[in-house]
Amino acid sequence: MTHDLAVPRNEHPRPQWRRDQWLCLNGEWQFEPDKSDSGFERGLRDAELSSRIIVPFAPESSLSGIGHVDFMAAVWYRREFTVPDEWLSGRVLMNFQAVDYDATVWVNGVEVGRHRGGFTPFGLDITAALGGKTRATVVVRARDSRDSVQPRGKQATWYANTHCFYTRTTGIWQSVWLEAVPATHLRRPRITPDVTGSRFHVEAPVSGPKRGITVQVELGDASGVVSRESIPLGYDLCPRLVLDVPAGRRRLWTPADPHLYSLRFRLIDSTDGVIDEVHGYAGLRSVSVEGQAVLINGERVFQRLVLDQGYWPDGIMTAPSDEALVRDIELARNAGFNGARLHQKVFEERFLYHADRMGYLVWGEFPDWGAGGQGPRGDNQQPTPSYVAEWIEVLERDHNHPSIIGWCPLNETHQTLHDRTTVLDDVTKGMFKAAKNADPSRPVIDASGYSHRVVETDIWDSHCYEQDPAKFAAGQSGLADGKPFTNLTPDDEAMSLPYAGQPYMVSEYGGIWWNPDLARASDGTDRAESWGYGRRVDSEEEFFERFAGLTRVLLDDPSMFGYCYTQLTDVFQEQNGIYRFDRSEKFPIDRIRDVQRTIAAYEKADPA
C-alpha cells in the first residue's frame, strides 16, 4: 500500500510483523488539553476540539506544533478517517504504538477499548463501531497524572527540567495506524532461536474460527526457502512449529555479521487458499552464562555499551524521523561502542529493527522510575501491579529481536534492605520471574545498579560515578575475590542481597560533565546552567584523560564482561554526553573510539 510522503513518521511501525494492508493515521488531528480532566463531563468526546496537533509527536514537543510543557491532567484527540471499501469484508484493527499514560478510545461515539501504560502498544478491533461504513471518527482521551505511581522513566514530576529529569510526554507519542485482517488471522508469534539445535522454535497464535485451517511458516535467505513447516489448527490453543536450518544454510547473527532470515507466515484453508499472510524476520543467535562470562553464540564478546536515553530536542521521546534512529546507532558505533542500554524508556520497534539489521547489541529496559518517594525510609519504593502488567507487554512485543541480549526490568530502586518483605521485593521478584518465564533464552538483571533483591538474578551490576581513575580502580578491585563494588545508601546501608558470583559489569560509569560552550565556575561545580556527575572537567584534554583512565580500569579486568558509559548525547540540561543534544560532534570521536579499540582482558580469557 502506498503512503503520503508528507505524513510524518509514515514508515511501517512494526517491521518484524508486516501485512500489506495497512494505513498510517499520523498527521494533523484535532487536539485540546484538559487541565483538570473534566473533558468527558464537558462533552469533549462529542465536540470539535479547539486546536490542531501533528501526530505522533507529543504536545510538549515543538514538532507537534503545540509546544506546551506545563502539566496536562488529560488531553483529547479527534480526527476523521476513511477505511478502504475492501477492508469491510474482514476485521479492521486500530493500532496505537504508544500513548502516555491511560488511554480511552471511541470510534463513532462507541468506546472500543482502553489501555494503561505509556510505553507499550495496543490494538483495538473497531469493526463493529464502523457499522459497515468506511468513513468514521476516532476520539482519544489520554490521562497522565503528575501525582500517581506510574512508570515514567525520566519524565519530571515537577515543572522544570532538573538534574537527570526531563520534559514530560503526554498522550500519543508513537504512530497510529489501521490494519486489515481476516476474521481468522495470525497474531504476533514468539520466535526463539536454538543455536545448539540449528533451528527456530515458533509459537504462532491465531484469532478467530480455526477448523479446516493450516498454519504454514516459511524460513528463507538470499538463496530462497531454507525450510517450511505446517500444522493444522483445532487441536492446540497455540500452534508450535520447529524450523530447521541445514548446516549449509546456517549463518549466525553476530555484531560483525547480523544475518537475518526472512519469515513468511500463512493461514491456508482446505482448498489451499491463502486467508492471511504476514512477513517477518529472525536471527539465529544465542546468549548463555558460564561462570562470570556472558557468551554470545558461545563466544566472549566484551560489551562496550553506551547509555542511550532516546530523547531529541524537537521530538522529546519521539524521533523526528526514521533516519534519526539509524543515526544514533551510527554515532554510537563511530565512537567505538557495540551496543547500548536503552535506558528508562521502551524504544520504538523501528529502533530495534535497525539494531537487528546493523548488529547492535542492546539491553531491553523498563522505564520504572515513578515509584519512589512513596513512603518512609525502607518502604519508599512502592511500584503497583501495573508495573508487572506493562513489563509483560514489553516482553511480548520485543521477544523476537536478536539484537536484545538481556532484560532489565528495574533501575536504581534505592531502598534499604531490611528483614521485612516489601512491595519492592514482591514487584522485583514478579518482574524478574515474568521475564524468565516469558523468555528463558536471555539473561535478566533483577534491578540495575541498586537493590538486587532476587538471589537467582542472572547478572549482577553496579553504578559508579567516581571521577578519579585511581579511586575508581580501587573501588573495582575486589571483583576477582568475589567482592565487587556494590551500591550502598548514603549511610552505607545495604540495598542488595550478597553477590553470588554472577557475571558482573559496571552498567553506569563516567558521565563526565563537560559543555565547552558554557562558562565554568572556578571550582568546576556550578550547576546553574548545566548538570553532570562529579567535578566538571576544565578542558577537552582533561576529559580524554579521565575517559581513558576510567575505561581502561574496566577493559583491563578479566572478570568484567562489559560496561556501559553514560551517555550517548547530552539531554536538555544534563551535559555529559559524547555528542551534543542535537547530535553534532562535541569531541574528536576518533579519540574516544581509539580508547575502546583496546582488546579487553575478558576477551583474552579462556571461555571456560
Side-chain angles (χ1 to χ4, degrees):
M1 180 171 290
T2 60
H3 298 278
D4 184 354
L5 295 179
V7 175
R9 299 302 313 271
N10 70 336
E11 60 278 346
H12 198 291
R14 198 175 60 196
Q16 207 175 28
W17 189 241
R18 297 174 289 104
R19 289 183 175 87
D20 291 335
Q21 290 188 308
W22 72 283
L23 181 65
C24 185
L25 293 185
N26 293 344
E28 186 177 88
W29 289 51
Q30 293 182 29
F31 176 79
E32 189 164 328
D34 186 3
K35 185 176 181 180
S36 58
D37 192 13
S38 61
F40 188 82
E41 299 167 71
R42 292 185 288 114
L44 289 187
R45 186 194 67 177
D46 304 310
E48 298 293 310
L49 304 181
S50 60
S51 60
R52 300 293 183 271
I53 190 171
I54 302 300
V55 169
F57 302 107
E60 290 88 350
S61 71
S62 60
L63 288 175
S64 72
I66 303 292
H68 180 80
V69 297
D70 204 348
F71 294 98
M72 293 171 279
V75 290
W76 290 78
Y77 297 81
R78 180 186 183 92
R79 72 160 287 172
E80 293 185 349
F81 62 94
T82 301
V83 174
D85 290 337
E86 60 271 23
W87 287 17
L88 296 181
S89 61
R91 314 297 298 178
V92 179
L93 306 182
M94 180 173 284
N95 297 303
F96 295 83
Q97 290 300 111
V99 182
D100 199 346
Y101 167 67
D102 195 335
T104 305
V105 182
W106 296 267
V107 172
N108 292 337
V110 177
E111 183 179 320
V112 293
R114 303 182 184 189
H115 180 262
R116 172 174 289 179
F119 295 88
T120 48
F122 59 99
L124 305 171
D125 188 331
I126 66 170
T127 311
L130 290 174
K133 298 179 180 179
T134 59
R135 190 73 174 170
T137 299
V138 58
V139 173
V140 179
R141 178 191 60 199
R143 289 171 160 146
D144 194 14
S145 169
R146 68 180 292 185
D147 301 315
S148 64
V149 173
Q150 63 190 58
R152 301 178 188 275
K154 290 299 192 77
Q155 300 179 67
T157 54
W158 49 87
Y159 177 75
N161 289 5
T162 311
H163 299 102
C164 59
F165 292 89
Y166 319 129
T167 302
R168 292 159 294 284
T169 288
T170 302
I172 298 171
W173 67 277
Q174 289 186 36
S175 292
V176 184
W177 53 292
L178 299 174
E179 184 179 25
V181 300
T184 300
H185 57 273
L186 292 153
R187 293 164 52 203
R188 190 194 295 252
R190 182 158 59 180
I191 304 159
T192 305
D194 177 355
V195 169
T196 303
S198 193
R199 57 197 173 191
F200 292 95
H201 300 270
V202 179
E203 298 170 49
V206 175
S207 179
K210 301 175 180 64
R211 289 190 177 275
I213 296 175
T214 298
V215 176
Q216 181 190 87
V217 187
E218 185 177 277
L219 186 76
D221 60 15
S223 299
V225 176
V226 174
S227 62
R228 182 189 296 118
E229 293 294 334
S230 300
I231 186 171
L233 299 180
Y235 297 96
D236 298 308
L237 183 62
C238 180
R240 291 174 172 83
L241 305 93
V242 174
L243 294 168
D244 292 314
V245 181
R249 309 289 283 276
R250 177 183 166 99
R251 186 173 166 188
L252 300 182
W253 185 98
T254 70
D257 181 23
H259 177 257
L260 298 173
Y261 291 93
S262 65
L263 282 167
R264 183 173 68 176
F265 292 78
R266 283 178 163 178
L267 289 181
I268 299 173
D269 64 21
S270 58
T271 63
D272 292 332
V274 176
I275 301 171
D276 192 16
E277 181 172 303
V278 192
H279 295 270
Y281 64 83
L284 191 58
R285 185 269 305 122
S286 71
V287 185
S288 59
V289 170
E290 293 185 13
Q292 288 184 306
V294 177
L295 308 178
I296 299 175
N297 300 325
E299 303 290 336
R300 287 185 172 231
V301 177
F302 190 78
Q303 296 180 29
R304 297 166 173 83
L305 308 179
V306 67
L307 199 76
D308 188 349
Q309 309 211 61
Y311 277 74
W312 286 265
D314 50 2
I316 309 182
M317 284 204 301
T318 310
S321 66
D322 194 51
E323 291 74 20
L325 299 173
V326 176
R327 180 62 175 153
D328 275 10
I329 296 175
E330 292 174 339
L331 290 174
R333 293 178 66 168
N334 288 344
F337 298 101
N338 61 4
R341 269 187 74 196
L342 305 183
H343 188 51
Q344 282 301 291
K345 176 185 170 184
V346 179
F347 279 49
E348 61 178 277
E349 294 187 61
R350 287 202 66 88
F351 182 92
L352 296 176
Y353 158 67
H354 294 306
D356 292 342
R357 68 180 185 81
M358 297 171 72
Y360 192 62
L361 305 174
V362 300
W363 283 79
E365 185 171 315
F366 187 68
D368 68 291
W369 281 13
Q374 302 300 316
R377 182 176 180 173
D379 294 281
N380 48 290
Q381 294 275 343
Q382 296 188 15
T384 66
S386 66
Y387 280 63
V388 181
E390 190 174 357
W391 174 235
I392 290 171
E393 291 182 332
V394 174
L395 297 168
E396 182 181 38
R397 193 198 81 169
D398 292 341
H399 177 91
N400 299 340
H401 291 283
S403 59
I404 296 179
I405 55 170
W407 299 111
C408 179
L410 298 166
N411 175 75
E412 292 189 357
T413 43
H414 190 292
Q415 182 169 293
T416 306
L417 190 69
H418 49 68
D419 66 350
R420 289 183 294 102
T421 300
T422 67
V423 170
L424 177 62
D425 293 298
D426 288 337
V427 172
T428 302
K429 188 169 186 178
M431 295 180 80
F432 176 84
K433 290 289 189 181
K436 294 303 295 183
N437 279 277
D439 183 11
S441 72
R442 292 180 175 95
V444 181
I445 303 174
D446 59 342
S448 184
Y450 306 169
S451 295
H452 291 293
R453 291 167 181 259
V454 177
V455 67
E456 66 268 32
T457 183
D458 295 315
I459 307 293
W460 231 80
D461 68 346
S462 67
H463 299 171
C464 184
Y465 285 109
E466 171 59 57
Q467 297 295 299
D468 182 296
K471 293 180 179 178
F472 185 69
Q476 300 298 328
S477 62
L479 180 57
D481 298 323
K483 298 177 181 179
F485 178 83
T486 303
N487 293 108
L488 304 174
T489 71
D491 296 324
D492 291 332
E493 296 174 301
M495 291 187 286
S496 298
L497 297 172
Y499 173 66
Q502 297 97 329
Y504 181 92
M505 70 170 169
V506 178
S507 57
E508 287 186 31
Y509 82 103
I512 303 172
W513 178 18
W514 172 242
N515 184 336
D517 302 324
L518 293 178
R520 299 183 301 283
S522 59
D523 64 355
T525 61
D526 178 28
R527 284 173 162 77
E529 296 178 274
S530 70
W531 184 85
Y533 291 97
R535 183 188 180 280
R536 182 163 44 191
V537 294
D538 292 322
S539 67
E540 188 176 281
E541 283 304 313
E542 186 181 352
F543 168 86
F544 281 111
E545 181 181 351
R546 191 182 294 182
F547 176 80
L550 296 172
T551 302
R552 285 170 182 154
V553 168
L554 306 177
L555 286 169
D556 291 345
D557 190 333
S559 300
M560 190 88 60
F561 75 87
Y563 57 64
C564 181
Y565 181 81
T566 302
Q567 62 180 317
L568 181 62
T569 73
D570 295 343
V571 184
F572 294 107
Q573 75 285 344
E574 186 175 355
Q575 295 171 350
N576 50 24
I578 296 294
Y579 297 92
R580 301 175 193 266
F581 198 14
D582 65 3
R583 275 56 175 177
S584 61
E585 284 201 358
K586 191 175 177 182
F587 304 101
I589 293 302
D590 59 331
R591 295 186 64 179
I592 295 174
R593 183 172 62 246
D594 287 346
V595 171
Q596 299 198 86
R597 279 180 169 171
T598 301
I599 297 175
Y602 171 83
E603 294 171 307
K604 301 175 185 177
D606 183 349

